[in-house]
Structure formats: C-alpha cells, structure tokens
Amino acid sequence: MRIIKTADIRDKIAQLSQQACIKVDKKITDAFAKSYESEKNPVAKYVFEQLIENYKIAETENIPICQDTGMVTMFVTIGQDVAFKGEAMEKMIQEGIRIGYREGFLRKSIVNDPIERVNTGDNTPAVIHYELVEGDVFNVVIVPKGAGCENMSRIAMLKPADGLPVIEKFVVDAVRDAWANPCPPLFIGVGIGGNFEKVAFLAKKALLLPFDERSETPYIAKLENDLLDEINDLDIGPQGFGGQTTALGVRVLSYPTHIASLPVAVNISCHAMRHIEFSL
Amino acid sequence: MARLNIKTPLTKDKIEKLKAGDIILLNGTIYSARDAAHKRIMQLIEEGADLPFPIKDQIIYYMGPTPAREGKIIGSAGPTTSYRMDSFTPKLIEMGLAASIGKGSRSTEVVNALKANKAVYLSAVGGAGALLSKRIRSVKIIAFEDLGAEAVRKLGVEEFPLIVAIDSYGTSLFER
Ligand code: SF4
C-alpha cells in the first residue's frame, strides 16, 4: 500500500493550474507556425501572426494566454493500492484550484448556481472525474477550459442504422454551426457509444489524446482523418474569417453500447487547449 | 485588405471608410461590458437613468479580464463571444453606438442595425488576451464594480489590433 498525502495533491494542483494557463504543449505552437506558412488567405495569416505572438508573450511575461481561464475539469486516476492521508481528497483538490487561481491572478469564472448566478469568487468548484485502476499509480490531468468552445459542444442519441455517415454529418454540422464562436483553429473530441453521460465523457477525454496521432482501430483512424479533412474544407479558418485551418486535430474514442443505441458527442476545444498532468 | 490607424471617437465619416477584411489599429478610448453589464445597462435605459458612459460614437468591447498582477494595470484581456450580446446590441446601435468588439458572428438583427445606423462590428483575435493586454495603456472601473471581471471599464488603447468583421454596408467576413 502506497500512502499519498492529500496536502501534496493540493500543492501540485495550486502550482500547475497556474502553469497550464500560460503555456501549452509545444506541439500546438509548432502547428500554428506550420499553418501560418501554408495559409494563403491574408486575414488567416494575420490571425496566426497574432496567435504566435500571443503565446510568446503569455509565456515570457506570465500573462494568461486567454482571459477565460475556464472552469477546471480534472481527471484523477487512482491505483487501488494507494491510500490517502490527511484531509478529504475532494476538499484538497478544490483548495488547490482556489489557491492556484488566486496566486496565479487567473479569472474567477464560476457562479454558484445556474440561475441565481453569484460568482463563487475563487473559481471553484472544479468538475472532478475519478477513475480506479490497478496498481499504485496516482495521476491527475488538469484541464482549464473556456466557455466559448464548451458552449458549442453537442450530444445526440442516434439510431444504430444511422452508422458512420450520420455521425460524420453530426460532427461537421456542430463545427459549421459554431463557426467562429469557439475560437478556431480547433481541436475536436468525439465520443461514440456507451450511454448518454458516458459519450459526453468520452468526447472530452478524446481531447486529451495527442492531436497529431491516430487511433489504432483502423475505422476510427479513418474517421478521424475524414472528419479533419471535411472540417478544414468548410473554409471557416482561424477566427472564422476564411482559410484552410479550421481544426488542427480530431480524435475519437468509442465504447460498447446498447443494441438499440448509438450515442455520439462532440466536445470542441479552442486553439488554447490547456492541459497539464502530474503523477505522485 | 487595408491596414489603417484609427482614432476614437469613431464618427460616421470614419465608419464609412471601413470595409470588411480591413485590419485596423485602434487608438483612444473604448469601454468594456459583457453579459451582466449589458443586462444592467438595458435596465438603466428602460428606467431612463444615466448610463455609465455616453453611447454615441463610442465603442463597446466584450471583455472580462483576468486580475492585474502587482505593478500591472490589467491581466489577459481578449474578446468574449459576441452572440450572447445580440439581443442588446440593436438598441445600443440605435442610440448611436459606433462599434462593438468581440469574436464570432452576429445575428441578422444586429447586421440590419449596423446597416441602418452606419455602425460596424469589429473582431479582436479570440484567445489572444496576453497580446491584447499589452495594447491597453489605461484602465478605470467606471460602473458595476461588484461584477468583478464583468465590471464596466474605461480603457485607453494604443494600436489595438482589430479586424473589420461586418462593415456598415452589411458585408460580413463570416459569410461564404
Ligand atoms: S474559446 Fe478558448 S480561446 Fe476563445 S475566449 Fe474562450 S477560452 Fe479563450
């Protein structure tokens, strides 16, 4: 049995939530540079110029990439041979966010109630997903995600007979209808299968997969490629002004489902796809 | 695609020259207001009360910044999605609002109001809040301080980079 102090979890979250908001994976900024070269549309080129400079300023001057530092989603993976010591984990995770958002001068964007809408003042609560696995691992992925792109996400309960063509249309329609709202260039996460809540979870989890890789399942890899091509043919372009770079990646996750169901969900991320991960 | 230096106030003669796709560097004063502030401004208009700032020839920026660090005047300060303000915007345009700054497309009602009243919709690059914050030279909270990030701020901007997304003739960069 391995013992982990919940105070250590809190401290790590406080530190890394700040880092997540000022710096993204280098692969993303490299993709901007590549797109800048390949874009022919002058306004699209101008947008990439600004994005490249923005990410540089954010990192060197410690200013959040985007003012919407999001509602935090947290994926916590716990090995069954791990035990925890100290105050309740849930409480310490939220405390980590509270400290991180205060010390990092990040925006507090959470309201206490969907109708009464009073700001909680500390960006909590985060949405936390726990997964129990074998062994003694402990891993956390912190995802501060803005509302502009989250609001453009969608779910549908299709008919099994609909199959891949309707799934494809559903995803492409969601991106077309969203147009510039979710701040393209985008990353697209798609979930297929499971049930109503599982498919939404899969779509968000798909955004954590490396955007430049493809599924090991051949039909899913093909779906990822086809969707990326179709989306980039929409001529939405960065910020919706036209261009060939509407999405930089599409990833798909699937799960077994009921004989009568074909759930599908699409979770859209803006270019500021902020993830950070740690293990203890 | 012209690149223009523009000074506020954005009077009609300046608006007429702007074409969808033009890149402008804005200098002068703009006012930040987003969802909650719009709701309150509309209430004030209904009551016939004084508004936090004059509307005529002025520019509203849909933005709620991150808090300023010590020694800084503002944090990250990029645009939010504009469509959430669509139901409020035509009224403000009728009252003389020259431009709004946000990201994403606008409703037909907003486009019609732009055309009818010679106003424009400008887009800043969404998710470029760090870069945009550097072009803001002064900040003063002038109303609704209790709204925090959503309070109305008077902002002095210098070479603030924008794209004319929908011009006063109704031409939109978002249409294919
Ligand atoms: S969609 Fe993303 S980049 Fe755009 S404003 Fe929201 S968080 Fe920022």
Side-chain angles (χ1 to χ4, degrees):
Chain A
M1 188 65 69
R2 196 160 74 85
I3 310 270
I4 293 176
K5 284 198 228 122
T6 54
D8 292 345
I9 301 171
R10 174 198 63 201
D11 295 348
K12 245 347 210 196
I13 290 172
Q15 176 205 342
L16 292 181
S17 55
Q18 301 180 44
Q19 207 173 309
C21 291
I22 61 159
K23 188 177 187 303
V24 291
D25 189 338
K26 187 170 173 295
K27 275 188 192 172
I28 294 179
T29 41
D30 286 350
F32 293 163
K34 244 176 90 186
S35 302
Y36 171 78
E37 291 302 329
S38 59
E39 276 291 354
K40 288 167 201 84
N41 179 320
V43 185
K45 257 194 185 324
Y46 179 70
V47 171
F48 275 118
E49 245 173 65
Q50 294 216 339
L51 288 181
I52 291 165
E53 200 192 333
N54 181 62
Y55 281 72
K56 246 184 238 154
I57 293 173
E59 194 182 336
T60 53
E61 303 196 26
N62 199 13
I63 304 172
I65 295 161
C66 179
Q67 74 292 335
D68 188 351
T69 47
M71 182 173 207
V72 180
T73 305
M74 202 108 54
F75 295 90
V76 182
T77 308
I78 306 169
Q80 61 188 24
D81 298 336
V82 173
F84 298 98
K85 203 177 126 202
E87 286 197 67
M89 167 137 68
E90 172 88 20
K91 188 175 154 204
M92 293 307 254
I93 290 179
Q94 302 289 8
E95 186 62 20
I97 291 299
R98 193 170 287 129
I99 297 169
Y101 272 65
R102 185 178 63 230
E103 293 185 350
F105 291 83
L106 305 178
R107 200 178 76 183
K108 287 71 178 178
S109 311
I110 307 304
V111 289
N112 67 331
D113 178 283
I115 302 302
E116 289 168 0
R117 307 196 78 82
V118 179
N119 199 302
T120 61
D122 59 10
N123 218 53
T124 69
V127 175
I128 310 170
H129 303 289
Y130 298 98
E131 197 178 338
L132 206 55
V133 298
E134 261 182 85
D136 66 354
V137 296
F138 180 79
N139 179 270
V140 178
V141 188
I142 304 169
V143 186
K145 191 165 187 287
C149 53
E150 188 74 355
N151 286 347
M152 297 297 120
S153 303
R154 271 187 198 176
I155 190 165
M157 305 303 280
L158 303 179
K159 299 188 290 288
D162 288 338
L164 285 172
V166 179
I167 290 173
E168 263 181 65
K169 183 174 180 311
F170 174 75
V171 175
V172 174
D173 284 351
V175 175
R176 184 192 295 108
D177 292 348
W179 207 263
N181 293 337
C183 290
L186 308 171
F187 298 93
I188 312 289
V190 178
I192 307 173
N195 57 6
F196 186 75
E197 82 278 7
K198 178 74 179 182
V199 78
F201 179 76
L202 290 173
K204 181 149 283 175
K205 255 205 137 168
L207 286 175
L208 306 182
L209 301 172
F211 70 90
D212 53 345
E213 291 174 22
R214 293 294 176 264
S215 171
E216 281 171 13
T217 310
Y219 89 84
I220 291 183
K222 179 171 184 310
L223 179 63
E224 290 170 336
N225 284 326
D226 291 352
L227 282 171
L228 185 60
D229 289 346
E230 281 177 66
I231 287 167
N232 284 331
D233 281 345
L234 292 172
D235 193 28
I236 294 173
Q239 301 294 314
F241 305 132
Q244 60 198 31
T245 325
T246 301
L248 292 168
V250 178
R251 296 307 311 267
V252 179
L253 282 174
S254 70
Y255 194 79
T257 189
H258 189 277
I259 47 172
S261 293
L262 179 55
V264 54
V266 50
N267 195 219
I268 297 180
S269 169
C270 54
H271 59 81
M273 189 165 66
R274 294 153 288 183
H275 298 161
I276 204 158
E277 182 172 355
F278 71 90
S279 294
L280 284 178
Chain B
M1 190 181 86
R3 289 199 186 207
L4 309 159
N5 254 291
I6 303 272
K7 261 207 177 79
T8 66
L10 199 55
T11 45
K12 300 281 182 219
D13 53 312
K14 294 178 196 164
I15 292 177
E16 278 174 0
K17 294 196 188 100
L18 301 176
K19 298 273 154 59
D22 287 350
I23 286 168
I24 68 177
L25 295 174
L26 190 71
N27 301 280
T29 303
I30 60 177
Y31 298 91
S32 76
R34 42 173 294 157
D35 310 58
H38 269 76
K39 220 172 143 184
R40 289 202 192 170
I41 289 171
M42 295 321 278
Q43 243 161 16
L44 293 176
I45 292 174
E46 247 169 61
E47 291 162 6
D50 283 347
L51 301 183
F53 58 93
I55 301 291
K56 192 170 164 359
D57 297 335
Q58 300 303 316
I59 302 174
I60 293 182
Y61 183 23
Y62 304 142
M63 186 277 293
T66 59
R69 283 185 178 276
E70 306 88 3
K72 294 276 165 67
I73 56 168
I74 200 164
S76 193
T80 194
T81 320
S82 305
Y83 76 88
R84 295 193 315 271
M85 268 55 76
D86 278 356
S87 57
F88 308 120
T89 309
K91 174 79 193 160
L92 295 170
I93 293 174
E94 278 163 29
M95 292 172 66
L97 185 72
S100 48
I101 303 172
K103 65 167 170 102
S105 37
R106 308 303 304 258
S107 67
T108 318
E109 289 74 22
V110 173
V111 179
N112 289 341
L114 293 174
K115 274 199 286 192
N117 300 279
K118 277 203 193 314
V120 279
Y121 169 56
L122 307 169
S123 175
V125 171
L131 177 148
L132 291 163
S133 76
K134 308 271 293 175
R135 311 290 175 91
I136 297 173
R137 298 304 157 96
S138 65
V139 181
K140 190 174 176 225
I141 295 186
I142 56 167
F144 318 141
E145 192 158 5
D146 61 300
L147 293 178
E150 294 205 59
V152 172
R153 290 166 169 83
K154 183 176 180 178
L155 306 170
V157 296
E158 235 177 79
E159 304 205 326
F160 199 71
L162 301 166
I163 295 153
V164 179
I166 308 174
D167 62 28
S168 59
Y169 308 95
T171 307
S172 168
L173 276 194
F174 302 116
E175 266 161 38
R176 297 285 175 277

